[in-house]
């Protein structure tokens, strides 16, 4: 992208509030300025520039979006949401470079992200254990690691209560769980409400506990959770379920 194109894109980002102010139909400059939160002078310059570019159309009752303007506004807002989500997920993305997550950061603008902190070393474990303990309908996920003892214990308690569980693991993770929690794991695998699948290379780690999505990242040396993002956004949950179902389809179920 050359400098002129970059400057043009930046100008559109700055003027996006003016475009958005016209979304509901023809809008006069005074109303437009109030909706966009800009001065009337700024609104005057912006509407002139956007009209010249073909993004707005001037009518007797005000300015309205053209089809081109509506398309540009849609893409600008998508970009802004993706950027906001990327900023939110920055601690996670420092360790997780999964294309599926990178291309869907717009789903995480309102996510809560916790990071490992020496001043509060157990806060991630406590948050995850609380989410797991509150699960009453379903637990599904894809993982390349297994949780701390307290999280695993909460997980086993929930599974024993009869909550349906489907989990896709790597062979290494499966063997790790069995070696650390052998008796309990074998007991739970035998339950009718559980299903375990093996896959060699999952795209990323995700877990859905009822209506809460959890996306963790692990420290490569210790294997402990270094950062975790949680959200109850319906679109994020739908995306995560699609990732899970794709992995489940490609995985081998253990009997």
């Amino acid at each position: 992208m050359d400098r002129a194109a970059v400057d043009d894109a930046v100008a559109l980002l700055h003027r996006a509030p003016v475009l958005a102010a016209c979304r509901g139909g023809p809008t006069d400059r005074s109303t437009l300025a109030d909706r966009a939160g800009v001065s009337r002078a700024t609104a005057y310059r912006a509407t002139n520039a956007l009209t010249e570019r073909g993004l707005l159309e001037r009518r007797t009752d005000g300015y309205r979006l053209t089809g081109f303007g509506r398309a540009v506004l849609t893409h600008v807002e998508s970009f802004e949401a993706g950027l906001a989500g990327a900023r939110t997920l920055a601690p996670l993305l420092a360790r997780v470079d999964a294309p599926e997550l990178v291309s869907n950061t717009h789903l995480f603008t309102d996510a809560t992200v916790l990071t490992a902190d020496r001043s509060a070393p157990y806060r991630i474990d406590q948050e995850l254990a609380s989410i797991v303990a509150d699960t009453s309908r379903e637990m599904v996920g894809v993982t390349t690691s297994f949780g701390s003892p307290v999280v695993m214990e909460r997980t086993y308690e929930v599974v024993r209560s009869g909550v349906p569980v489907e989990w896709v693991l790597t062979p290494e993770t499966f063997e790790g769980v069995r070696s650390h929690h052998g008796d309990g794991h074998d007991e739970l695998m035998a339950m009718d409400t559980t299903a375990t699948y093996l896959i060699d290379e999952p795209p990323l780690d995700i877990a859905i506990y009822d209506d809460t999505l959890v996306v963790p990242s692990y420290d490569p040396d210790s294997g402990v959770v270094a950062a975790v993002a949680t959200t109850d956004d319906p679109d994020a949950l739908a995306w995560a379920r699609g990732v899970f179902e794709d992995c489940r389809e490609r995985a081998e179920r253990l009997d």
Side-chain angles (χ1 to χ4, degrees):
M1 181 180 291
D2 60 28
R3 180 56 184 271
V6 171
D7 290 344
D8 186 52
V10 171
L12 283 174
L13 287 173
H14 284 306
R15 290 167 176 159
V18 174
L19 288 175
C22 299
R23 180 183 275 118
T27 308
D28 62 78
R29 276 194 176 128
S30 178
T31 302
L32 187 152
D34 289 340
R35 289 179 181 174
V38 299
S39 68
R40 294 192 181 187
T42 297
Y44 179 85
R45 291 191 297 270
T47 51
N48 282 346
L50 294 169
T51 301
E52 290 176 2
R53 292 286 310 280
L55 286 85
L56 290 180
E57 178 186 8
R58 184 176 183 178
R59 292 186 170 186
T60 56
D61 53 352
Y63 291 85
R64 65 175 291 275
L65 285 170
T66 64
F68 178 41
R70 194 175 300 280
V72 167
L73 178 61
T74 297
H75 289 293
V76 166
E77 291 179 333
S78 177
F79 169 79
E80 290 176 334
L83 184 59
R87 286 173 175 156
T88 299
L89 293 178
L92 201 76
L93 294 172
R95 293 181 174 84
V96 179
D97 189 21
E100 287 82 355
L101 183 60
V102 169
S103 61
N104 286 282
T105 57
H106 63 284
L107 300 174
F108 293 87
T109 56
D110 296 324
T112 298
V113 176
L114 297 179
T115 57
D117 188 339
R118 291 185 178 180
S119 65
Y122 304 112
R123 67 172 182 165
I124 291 181
D125 280 352
Q126 291 170 344
E127 176 65 16
L128 292 178
S130 176
I131 291 173
V132 172
D134 288 341
T135 305
S136 61
R137 299 195 310 277
E138 68 166 349
M139 184 186 301
V140 302
V142 181
T143 187
T144 59
S145 185
F146 53 91
S148 68
V150 65
V151 174
M152 290 298 293
E153 184 58 34
R154 296 293 88 76
T155 300
Y156 286 161
E157 290 174 1
V158 170
V159 177
R160 289 190 181 100
S161 73
V163 172
V165 176
E166 290 189 278
W167 218 262
V168 181
L169 306 89
T170 63
E172 295 78 12
T173 303
F174 176 72
E175 292 302 325
V177 172
R178 292 196 68 180
S179 65
H180 287 79
H181 310 275
D183 293 340
H185 188 263
D186 289 345
E187 169 201 344
L188 300 183
M189 279 194 63
M191 297 178 63
D192 293 337
T193 54
T194 65
T196 302
Y197 306 81
L198 296 185
I199 191 171
D200 289 329
E201 296 183 4
L204 77 164
D205 290 69
I206 56 169
I208 298 174
Y209 303 97
D210 290 346
D211 296 321
T212 300
L213 167 62
V214 173
V215 183
S217 67
Y218 298 96
D219 182 276
D221 298 321
S222 64
V224 301
V225 179
V228 63
T230 62
T231 180
D232 58 2
D233 181 90
D235 291 333
L237 283 160
W239 162 77
R241 190 173 297 281
V243 172
F244 163 74
E245 291 175 352
D246 178 68
C247 289
R248 183 181 60 186
E249 184 177 338
R250 295 186 289 111
E252 175 187 359
R253 178 168 181 170
L254 296 179
D255 296 326

